[in-house]
Amino acid sequence: MTEPEKTDKKEKKERIPRQPMPEQDPRLRVTNFDEVPTGYSPETAVLEAKRCIQCKKPGCVSGCPVDIDIPGFVRLVADGDFLGAARKIKETNCLPAVCGRVCPQEDQCEKLCILGKKWDPVAIGRLERFVADYERNAGTIEIPALPASTDRRIAVVGAGPAGLTIAGDLVKMGHDVTIFEALHKSGGVLIYGIPEFRLPKGIVDAEVEYLRKIGVKIVTDAAIGRLKTIDDLFAEGFHAVFLGVGAGAPVFMNIPGENFSGIYSANEYLTRSNLMKAYRFPEYDTPIAKGKNVAVIGGGNVAMDSVRTALRLGAENATIIYRRTKNEMPARAEEVHHAEQEGVQFKFLTNPIEYIGDEKGWVRQMICQRMELGEPDESGRRRPVVIKGSEYAVDVDTVVVSVGTMANPVIPMTTPGLDTNRWGYIVTKDETGETTRKGVWAGGDIVTGSATVILAMGAGRKAARAIHDYVMSL
Amino acid sequence: MHRITEKIVLSENIVKTVFEAPEIAKKRKAGQFVILMIDDKGERIPLTIVDSDPVKGTLTIIYQVVGKTTDQLAQLEPGDVIQHVLGPLGHPTEIDGFKTAVCVGGGVGIGVLYPIAKALKEKGTRVISIIGARTKKMLILEDETRGASDELHVTTDDGSYGFHGFVSDVLRDLIAAGTKIDRVFAIGPVPMMRVVANVTRPHHIKTLVSLNPIMVDGTGMCGACRVTVGGKTKFTCVDGPEFDGHEVDFGLLMSRLRMYVDQEQEAKERCRCGKND
Ligand SMILES: Cc1cc2nc3c(=O)[nH]c(=O)nc-3n(C[C@H](O)[C@H](O)[C@H](O)COP(=O)(O)OP(=O)(O)OC[C@H]3O[C@@H](n4cnc5c(N)ncnc54)[C@H](O)[C@@H]3O)c2cc1C
Ligand SMILES: Cc1cc2nc3c(=O)[nH]c(=O)nc-3n(C[C@H](O)[C@H](O)[C@H](O)COP(=O)(O)OP(=O)(O)OC[C@H]3O[C@@H](n4cnc5c(N)ncnc54)[C@H](O)[C@@H]3O)c2cc1C
Ligand code: SF4
Ligand code: FES
């Protein structure tokens, strides 16, 4: 490949438009759980990569929570060295196939890409996904040479993105690492929450398998706090513990009728469908309500995942009920766009206040209130205010409550010396995630509250270095 | 993987299975339960730990065959395996500080009740047990419960054995006779627990019931197991499984238990069909 002349470099690049992502047709995809975007071809990837102008001070990198050498890997893609590009990303991000799919790039790297000022930003996320898939499909994922054993044992509690990341990092430093996971499968939200059509479970399984191959021990069906406490882990000879237990407890609205049959937390609805594969009932044993009129309460990514799951389970009307407007919705633009394409309906400025059930205790109606936007609140978004006397009834047979999650209290309750804040999240002393309990670190959603995959991974990575220093000093 | 070491059919449709789970066997206390999943396509179902042997590293469960999963479980023989077992879950039963406790068990609930009676007895409590079944053939753990009790009453709905009537009738008589009771534990079908709670309510005898809602994870993550107690929503897997019977909304519990009847029927029929192939 010949380098273009310096002078017209910029002009040449901008002539290539941002390459669209091929996708399953919306009418077809609501009938299946297969992934919606089908991925770049090698040709498209090279073309897209060539749009990058290789900035000397790349804005994109400063937008990346784990500082991926973005121009570096994009350059390798442009050169057709896809495996080299994968290795480059993996220097700082061990789950690129996941991040390429679920990171909010529009708020991170792509937001700060210089091309975005005048044209469209480089499709960094799609390229990341492409190279990770290429490497996985090529079957060339390398097992790195591991350093000599340090004889230090580290327990990681929770196999979500934070726990998986730190386990990989620590094992590569020569430590003996065991992950304890409460569920029967590893992956955390990646496996139980995010649906197959956004993140195929085979990808998560492959990442977990890789960790096993490099020597991470994984014990599933192990609820720490119940089976063993943190004290027990130290007594068993672990030198340090990392808590990556997520913020997995569902929040309900505490309105009348909320416990009627047919009303789910988003966690339950998604867990049944994703983890337990209820969408393949009766091949799999776990059932799920296949409602005709499904209302999903909330406006975040979790709500979008739930409502799109409802459509795929056969809902005739799948509706988002959100108390503010489209502009305030926290969900990613891409998810909202996909949901709209698929026929999801949106009722903005609407809030449920009560559910009405039938004689069998099954939800039949939802009483809603209309809202209007008032003054901005602490989050800077305009606060929804009730319009008096605006109540009306909507027919529903399934409701998914997706108004947030909070910390699960089991670990703090059973771990003396571990401080939490008033919302139940674990208090850390510094950015490495060291807690108030000696030898115990924490990171991911259990520290920050619900955040993102990449931030959880970043937390795992920072804690890995600190734990390494700590156990080597013992 | 958990290897089954023993299986005994206790009555027409009640089965006892013993399997290896050494770590849980060491930790478990009376009143706690496990969630098990037979294989990777299976459902996660909660079952009470009826007994444990920390030396052999085994747990005992006793269950009624009511649907696909319990049916499949009942067909596993010694040497077969259960893929996943999570536990011990739930709060252990509070057993300290009672002079006299009455343990009321119905049907398969006697299996859940027995370890509690045993634990109470070990604490020096005077234990009066009242156990009942629809008919003699369906009565389980009579000898075991007798061994854990100072006084045992047996009832059958059809009068085929013991007292002809309901467990709640015996309890009512005990109270009427002036028996001083510090605590009642009632475990069995939801209607039975509701009646027992109604019997003790006017006498202000605190009555704990063990609830059996549908569960998924068993760790407080999903809310499938939510019940209304004293007007508040509780998660049975982390806040329970025992609650104050005078505060529980039994009607809601019953309707939530019927949430998947159609699909359960379908799954069960399919499972039957498979057997005949
Ligand atoms: C439906 C949904 C969609 C999302 N979509 C996106 C997205 O598109 N992009 C994005 O960046 N983020 C998304 N998020 C957020 C993201 O998934 C989380 O921020 C991230 O998974 C947090 O990682 P974690 O490792 O802290 O915890 P988790 O992923 O929650 O994992 C915690 C793990 O710990 C286990 N555990 C808990 N308690 C115990 C215990 N006592 N003993 C043993 N194990 C325990 C849990 O079972 C779980 O497996 C989404 C979240 C949800 C729910
Ligand atoms: C804490 C707890 C302890 C229990 N202990 C015992 C016990 O010791 N012995 C015993 O026989 N039973 C016990 N149960 C009930 C037992 O879990 C159910 O009978 C079993 O799940 C039925 O599964 P199935 O597939 O065979 O039947 P299905 O056909 O699936 O269901 C039959 C009925 O069982 C209930 N049920 C279904 N799925 C679940 C589920 N995932 N969780 C809970 N209930 C469900 C429903 O009411 C349903 O209508 C307990 C339940 C709880 C919550
Ligand atoms: S900011 Fe955009 S153009 Fe510049 S290096 Fe990063 S991806 Fe390439
Ligand atoms: S079973 Fe999921 S929260 Fe209790």
Side-chain angles (χ1 to χ4, degrees), chain A residues 16 43 52 97 110 159 190 199 208 211 220 231 356 391 397 415 423:
Chain A
I16 310 172
E43 296 74 31
C52 169
E110 294 182 16
L190 307 181
L199 177 64
V208 172
L211 288 180
T220 52
D231 290 330
I356 311 288
E391 293 80 12
D397 51 32
T415 313
W423 298 282

Side-chain angles (χ1 to χ4, degrees), chain A residues 182-184 192 220-223 226-229 232 248-250 252 254 258-265 267-268 271-272 276 281-289 360-362 408 410, chain B residues 23-24 27 37 40-44 68-69 72 83-90 214 216-217 219-224 226-228 233 235 237-238 252 255-256 259-260 263 266-267 270:
Chain A
L183 291 172
H184 60 274
Y192 78 72
T220 52
D221 305 311
R226 298 270 187 232
L227 182 67
K228 296 169 185 197
T229 59
D232 293 336
F252 286 94
N254 291 318
E258 208 173 21
N259 292 343
F260 280 130
S261 296
I263 303 180
Y264 291 100
S265 72
N267 268 5
E268 181 184 356
T271 299
R272 282 182 180 271
M276 305 310 296
F281 179 90
E283 181 197 349
Y284 285 76
D285 289 343
T286 303
I288 191 166
K360 289 183 171 157
W362 197 283
N408 185 317
V410 172
Chain B
E23 302 217 79
I24 303 175
K27 276 270 163 153
M37 192 172 162
D40 284 326
K41 290 191 173 174
E43 195 175 1
R44 295 169 65 99
K68 161 88 205 274
T69 310
Q72 199 182 343
Q83 284 291 343
H84 301 284
V85 179
L86 170 72
L89 303 173
I214 293 178
V216 183
D217 60 297
T219 65
M221 182 266 269
C222 78
R226 61 196 196 277
V227 290
T228 305
T233 295
F235 286 9
C237 67
V238 288
L252 180 88
S255 63
R256 284 188 68 84
M259 196 158 158
Y260 299 103
Q263 286 153 358
E266 185 185 344
R270 280 192 157 237

Side-chain angles (χ1 to χ4, degrees), chain A residues 49 51-61 70-72 74 109 112-116 121-124:
Chain A
R51 296 179 62 227
C52 169
I53 56 170
Q54 297 290 319
C55 305
K56 285 271 165 326
K57 283 196 185 129
C60 55
V61 177
I70 294 169
V74 173
C109 54
L112 297 176
C113 169
I114 187 83
L115 294 192
V122 172
I124 302 166

Side-chain angles (χ1 to χ4, degrees), chain B residues 19-35:
Chain B
F19 57 88
E20 292 169 349
E23 302 217 79
I24 303 175
K26 265 188 266 167
K27 276 270 163 153
R28 150 289 153 167
K29 295 205 177 78
Q32 290 187 298
F33 64 97
V34 290
I35 291 228

Side-chain angles (χ1 to χ4, degrees), chain A residues 145-154 170-177 214-215 217 239 468 471-472:
Chain A
L146 297 177
S149 165
T150 61
D151 287 327
R152 299 296 195 279
R153 296 179 64 207
I154 295 147
L170 288 170
V171 111
K172 286 181 196 156
M173 296 172 186
H175 304 301
D176 180 350
V177 183
I214 64 174
K217 293 174 209 151
H239 296 94
H468 172 77
V471 295
M472 294 318 285

Side-chain angles (χ1 to χ4, degrees), chain A residues 195-235:
Chain A
E196 181 80 15
F197 55 80
R198 263 203 321 125
L199 177 64
K201 301 304 146 225
I203 291 171
V204 184
D205 292 342
E207 298 298 350
V208 172
E209 206 34 54
Y210 170 78
L211 288 180
R212 280 216 175 87
K213 278 200 187 123
I214 64 174
V216 175
K217 293 174 209 151
I218 304 181
V219 184
T220 52
D221 305 311
I224 300 304
R226 298 270 187 232
L227 182 67
K228 296 169 185 197
T229 59
I230 305 298
D231 290 330
D232 293 336
L233 292 175
F234 282 114

